[in-house]
Amino acid sequence: DVKVTQSSRYLVKRTGEKVFLECVQDMDHENMFWYRQDPGLGLRLIYFSYDVKMKEKGDIPEGYSVSREKKERFSLILESASTNQTSMYLCASSSTNQPQHFGDGTRLSIL
Amino acid sequence: AQTVTQSQPEMSVQEAETVTLSCTYDTSENNYYLFWYKQPPSRQMILVIRQEAYKQQNATENRFSVNFQKAAKSFSLKISDSQLGDTAMYFCAFRAYNTDKLIFGTGTRLQVFP
């Protein structure tokens, strides 16, 4: 079975902090994705990566950056956290043209 | 740009009954995939069923089936013999053939009552 592991289920940070959310997959997938999930808005794509060191902006990249130095790991970075970034963050991975597999999510609160 | 619309924010059904969740989408693409994902409370999002647009036959996975109407751009999910474990958020999603990016609807929260 595919395993997508997000480093934290719950995280509390303060405004202005630099925040790192980590995601690791164990199936050698080329593609990795970061979404945020908000009530009434569904899942919105922040960034995705289709190869090591390759990234592409999603629909809502403002205030975020990503890093993919190794194939199995995809990090989401909040450069200077703000309260409007309080949300559930979901990581996913896939092989090309195959369904995405999701992690358990990280519920991030910015105080 | 593609959009996915789920017009039912919440639904409920009694155990053993049948329920249908609605999804419509908008696209100018001819080749694409459609998906239903399930997110149980505090648990991982999992794929329920997928449909390839070029296939006319509706996809079925055990108690889950879809009604895919390409001309109407409609993709509803039918859950037969509902079980308590079907309680979850259900998301409809679209993927164009030449990309791996998914576009999600806003979700339908389904509650199954005993």
Side-chain angles (χ1 to χ4, degrees):
Chain A
D1 269 358
V2 175
K3 186 106 177 119
V4 180
T5 304
Q6 294 185 230
S7 53
S8 305
R9 288 297 300 270
Y10 301 94
L11 204 55
V12 180
K13 295 291 182 181
R14 298 207 173 273
T15 55
E17 281 193 69
K18 191 169 186 176
V19 180
F20 292 85
L21 302 183
E22 306 287 346
C23 176
V24 176
Q25 51 95 1
D26 66 355
M27 285 301 292
D28 203 37
H29 286 165
E30 303 85 24
N31 305 311
M32 296 189 75
F33 308 82
W34 275 107
Y35 298 89
R36 66 176 280 175
Q37 180 179 359
D38 299 289
L41 297 178
L43 279 73
R44 294 178 291 166
L45 182 64
I46 305 171
Y47 268 97
F48 78 100
S49 169
Y50 49 91
D51 202 350
V52 175
K53 296 191 188 293
M54 306 302 285
K55 61 185 179 185
E56 194 168 313
K57 292 180 181 178
D59 299 318
I60 51 164
E62 296 78 18
Y64 303 94
S65 63
V66 290
S67 172
R68 193 164 180 204
E69 296 296 319
K70 293 185 178 181
K71 193 174 184 180
E72 67 270 18
R73 185 179 297 270
F74 192 35
S75 303
L76 179 70
I77 304 155
L78 286 66
E79 297 290 344
S80 177
S82 64
T83 54
N84 64 11
Q85 292 178 309
T86 290
S87 187
M88 170 72 87
Y89 290 86
L90 294 176
C91 176
S93 73
S94 73
S95 289
T96 299
N97 220 26
Q98 294 299 312
Q100 293 182 19
H101 299 265
F102 286 82
D104 288 338
T106 295
R107 189 167 294 280
L108 175 65
S109 296
I110 306 295
L111 304 178
Chain B
Q2 292 93 358
T3 58
V4 177
T5 302
Q6 293 179 249
S7 57
Q8 305 153 316
E10 295 183 354
M11 291 196 71
S12 61
V13 64
Q14 197 150 23
E15 206 174 2
E17 296 295 306
T18 295
V19 63
T20 299
L21 308 185
S22 300
C23 174
T24 59
Y25 58 95
D26 190 25
T27 184
S28 57
E29 303 279 343
N30 193 45
N31 294 320
Y32 50 88
Y33 300 89
L34 294 162
F35 305 86
W36 279 99
Y37 278 88
K38 170 185 176 181
Q39 186 181 42
S42 301
R43 290 179 61 190
Q44 195 177 56
M45 180 107 71
I46 58 172
L47 177 66
V48 175
I49 199 166
R50 71 168 169 175
Q51 175 80 42
E52 296 166 57
Y54 68 86
K55 289 186 177 178
Q56 292 188 346
Q57 187 171 6
N58 289 324
T60 299
E61 287 288 341
N62 301 314
R63 297 182 295 107
F64 298 87
S65 62
V66 298
N67 183 5
F68 173 49
Q69 302 288 329
K70 190 173 183 180
K73 294 180 181 172
S74 170
F75 183 60
S76 60
L77 175 70
K78 185 171 85 171
I79 306 174
S80 304
D81 186 25
S82 297
Q83 300 176 0
L84 296 178
D86 296 333
T87 292
M89 280 290 289
Y90 287 82
F91 291 97
C92 179
F94 170 98
R95 177 162 71 82
Y97 192 73
N98 59 352
T99 179
D100 285 291
K101 293 194 290 184
L102 285 173
I103 298 167
F104 284 88
T106 52
T108 296
R109 185 176 302 278
L110 176 67
Q111 180 74 48
V112 180
F113 291 97

